[in-house]
């Protein structure tokens, strides 16, 4: 069962070549899935939102039916977390469609909560983003990043 997800997005330049990464853990703290991919030339905030949407789609496709257990998505983007939790308004025309898409996904996933964490607590998702941008593998057998996010 999915319990915790760590997400990250980043760009080399702002805007610049961008990528996302996320890591999924089960109830026991075991990593069950990770994904990273490029999202083109975008802003860092666009990449952060793209990571959230990808993670939400993964949760929607892989959740256990009739589960009422809470799932926490952790992000080191204060802007994203504050906007998703309706503490800040979304002013960027570029982010507004992504915000609406994420909100629609969250509506059908009522047990999902998005929380802020410090960057150092998000090492694995950040590591995946950088591996993607460096054109290097990020799968568990290839990673040099040890430990949990």
């Amino acid at each position: 069962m999915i319990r915790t997800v760590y997400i990250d997005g980043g760009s080399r330049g702002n805007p610049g070549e961008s990528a996302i990464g996320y890591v999924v853990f089960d109830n026991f703290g075991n990593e069950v899935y990770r994904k990273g991919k490029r999202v083109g030339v975008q802003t860092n905030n666009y990449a952060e939102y793209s990571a959230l949407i990808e993670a939400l789609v993964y949760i929607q496709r892989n959740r256990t039916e009739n589960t009422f257990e809470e799932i926490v998505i952790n992000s080191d983007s204060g802007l994203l977390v504050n906007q998703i939790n309706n503490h800040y308004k979304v002013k960027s025309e570029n982010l507004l469609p992504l915000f609406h898409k994420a909100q629609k996904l969250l509506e059908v996933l009522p047990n999902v909560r998005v929380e802020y964490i410090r960057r150092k607590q998000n090492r694995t998702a950040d590591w995946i983003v950088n591996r993607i941008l460096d054109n290097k593998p990020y799968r568990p057998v290839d990673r040099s990043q040890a430990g949990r996010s």
Side-chain angles (χ1 to χ4, degrees), residues 48-109:
E48 296 280 4
Y49 265 98
S50 296
L52 174 62
I53 290 166
E54 288 271 339
L56 289 169
V57 168
Y58 175 86
I59 292 167
Q60 188 175 36
R61 289 184 180 150
N62 293 281
R63 67 183 170 159
T64 307
E65 288 301 317
N66 300 321
T67 183
F68 297 101
E69 194 158 332
E70 188 170 65
I71 298 170
V72 178
I73 297 178
N74 294 297
S75 171
D76 60 14
S77 171
L79 180 74
L80 176 135
V81 172
N82 280 303
Q83 288 177 339
I84 285 297
N85 291 313
N86 295 310
H87 299 291
Y88 294 174
K89 282 180 99 173
V90 179
K91 297 178 183 176
S92 169
E93 299 276 331
N94 194 35
L95 298 180
L96 210 48
L98 298 175
F99 170 80
H100 290 304
K101 185 172 185 175
Q103 289 289 5
K104 283 185 180 183
L105 287 163
L106 285 165
E107 284 174 18
V108 299
L109 298 166

Side-chain angles (χ1 to χ4, degrees), residues 1-2 23-26 30-34 58:
M1 188 177 306
I2 302 167
V23 188
V24 180
F25 293 91
D26 67 14
N30 299 311
E31 183 180 316
V32 295
Y33 186 74
R34 63 171 52 191
Y58 175 86

